[in-house]
Amino acid sequence: MNESDESGKGWKKLREILIEPKVDEEALNQALETASARQAPPVLWLLGKTQSGKTSLIRALTGSSDAEIGNGFRPCTKTARFYDFPAEAPVVRFLDTRGLGEVDYDPGNDIDYCESQAHLVIAVMKASDVRQDAVFDVLRAIRKRHPGWAVLVVQTCLHELYPPDGDHPSPYPFDQENWSRQVPADLGRALLDQRERLGKLAGDGPLLWVPVDFTLPEDGYQPVYYGLDALWTAIETVSSFGLQTLLREDPDVKSAYSRAAHPHIMGYTLAAATVGALPVVDMALVPALQVKLLHTLAALYKLSWNARTSSEFFGLLGVSFAAGYGLRWAGRGLIKLIPVWGQTVGAVWGATTSGAITFALGKSACFYLEQKGKGITVDAEALRKVYADALSRGRRLSPLQEQAAESSRADTDKDQTS
């Protein structure tokens, strides 16, 4: 099959699947299952007593509401549960071990299960709660079995130890050596006491302490997510899965809709990259992911993605988008024909182009939907610039996409030899 045939196939697929706003549920489910099986999201294991602030931590990292988190948890053992975010195309999984410190609760089975799943251990403890022995015992046991594992301890609810009418210490002092002199005395003593009680853990894995105070606007403390930047710094220091890139929109983006949309775009981008690394099947599955992403974004903006919306959006993007989409099929098809080299480079090509186009579609759709929501006529040139900039940015996400390609390629090789 020559290049023009492949390009024509890409354009036909574009017209059949992207211009037509109906989601191919069968292809979508197959794509999501394939992506999840080949590139599972990183798992953050949250250890802590009830009311220690684990839900507030998830809310701060994801932007989800308490109700969304509560309804989104699913059981994985009798007393452990997990929360995928975003739900359909997750970029992170939170694993919560409930009941630590409660009477008649033996955490052994839960600990064994969670230990086999986790990529990062985060212990969450209220600063004013001196009874943390149950949490400490689990941390010591984990590090004895896994001496190289990083442990992140998040000390929460700082305001409970402020003096009357007290407020957050500003600027955030806990990343400085003499922080204890810059905070209320009761708070400083409590934070240091927890650290002394835990003591030195076995092994050489890093142990980081991060005091935070994640409150609600009605509580009257500003900022609401006090210490969030320090928490992100700690997570990025002890892990390598780029969680901040996956969950946080650029700081200069002011739109709350765009910030909420970003992790959904990243979830579908990584799923498309994973599926795009596979031969043949990506031509059916990647577009299904892209259509679902557009529907998801429209729902976030409280709009609908219908035939009229789809036709206008892709019409504004113009023929340059259509040509690029067609060439993606042509390039992928030609590279696949080259023995051995085509399997390796073809996987990276498929992952990178599928991921970059999905990312660009998501970002440009956000621009389009935001303008439509405000009743503003969408400028075609501005939309195309957003798409082009996002496509370039999407290509720079290649380390994440190449991980997806490597995972898919390894699984494909395994399937072929089994």
Side-chain angles (χ1 to χ4, degrees), residues 233-252:
T233 298
I235 291 173
E236 295 298 301
T237 298
V238 299
S239 67
S240 60
F241 33 76
L243 191 60
Q244 188 166 199
T245 298
L246 299 174
L247 289 177
R248 292 188 98 181
E249 177 59 285
D250 290 341
D252 58 346

Side-chain angles (χ1 to χ4, degrees), residues 85-336:
F85 183 81
E88 277 200 323
V91 298
V92 64
R93 168 172 288 182
F94 296 93
L95 198 54
D96 177 25
T97 310
R98 296 176 288 172
L100 286 180
E102 296 178 6
V103 177
D104 297 329
Y105 169 64
D106 180 1
N109 291 335
D110 288 345
I111 300 304
D112 289 343
Y113 172 81
C114 296
E115 191 176 36
S116 69
Q117 303 291 314
H119 296 94
L120 177 61
V121 177
I122 302 180
V124 185
M125 55 188 69
K126 188 179 291 189
S128 60
D129 187 352
V130 298
R131 298 181 177 179
Q132 297 292 338
D133 288 345
V135 179
F136 292 158
D137 288 345
V138 174
L139 290 178
R140 291 177 184 127
I142 291 171
R143 278 290 287 268
K144 188 175 181 180
R145 290 193 292 270
H146 306 280
W149 278 18
V151 171
L152 185 58
V153 183
V154 182
Q155 298 172 288
T156 65
C157 303
L158 309 183
H159 67 272
E160 294 182 0
L161 294 171
Y162 293 170
D165 300 322
D167 207 342
H168 298 316
S170 182
Y172 183 85
F174 300 102
D175 51 2
Q176 302 175 26
E177 290 187 5
N178 62 343
W179 63 264
S180 60
R181 304 176 192 172
Q182 304 177 49
V183 303
D186 289 345
L187 175 61
R189 281 193 293 269
L191 296 177
L192 290 172
D193 181 68
Q194 287 183 343
R195 301 179 188 207
E196 291 171 0
R197 287 175 182 269
L198 176 60
K200 180 176 173 57
L201 292 177
D204 55 1
L207 169 63
L208 274 64
W209 295 80
V210 185
V212 303
D213 201 4
F214 299 152
T215 57
L216 297 172
E218 54 266 31
D219 294 328
Y221 295 97
Q222 292 295 328
V224 170
Y225 293 138
Y226 181 71
L228 179 57
D229 286 341
L231 177 58
W232 274 119
T233 298
I235 291 173
E236 295 298 301
T237 298
V238 299
S239 67
S240 60
F241 33 76
L243 191 60
Q244 188 166 199
T245 298
L246 299 174
L247 289 177
R248 292 188 98 181
E249 177 59 285
D250 290 341
D252 58 346
V253 172
K254 304 301 181 186
S255 168
Y257 285 117
S258 182
R259 291 197 300 271
H262 179 76
H264 293 272
I265 294 171
M266 291 304 304
Y268 283 99
T269 293
L270 291 185
T274 302
V275 174
L278 300 173
V280 182
V281 296
D282 64 312
M283 295 185 179
L285 304 188
V286 170
L289 292 167
Q290 293 166 341
V291 174
K292 180 59 177 177
L293 171 60
L294 296 175
H295 280 266
T296 298
L297 296 178
L300 286 175
Y301 281 84
K302 297 179 170 45
L303 298 170
S304 61
W305 196 268
N306 52 38
R308 182 176 179 179
T309 303
S310 188
S311 179
E312 181 183 40
F313 173 69
F314 287 107
L316 289 168
L317 281 179
V319 295
S320 59
F321 163 76
Y325 205 90
L327 286 174
R328 182 236 177 254
W329 257 268
R332 181 70 168 102
L334 290 172
I335 289 176
K336 285 190 305 179

Side-chain angles (χ1 to χ4, degrees), residues 11 14 19 305 307-323 360-361 364-373 376-388:
W11 173 236
L14 176 68
I19 300 297
W305 196 268
R308 182 176 179 179
T309 303
S310 188
S311 179
E312 181 183 40
F313 173 69
F314 287 107
L316 289 168
L317 281 179
V319 295
S320 59
F321 163 76
L361 277 175
S364 54
C366 285
F367 175 82
Y368 170 84
L369 292 165
E370 184 119 8
Q371 301 299 298
K372 297 294 287 185
I376 300 173
T377 300
V378 181
D379 180 81
E381 185 177 348
L383 179 64
R384 291 168 192 166
K385 184 178 187 309
V386 171
Y387 179 84

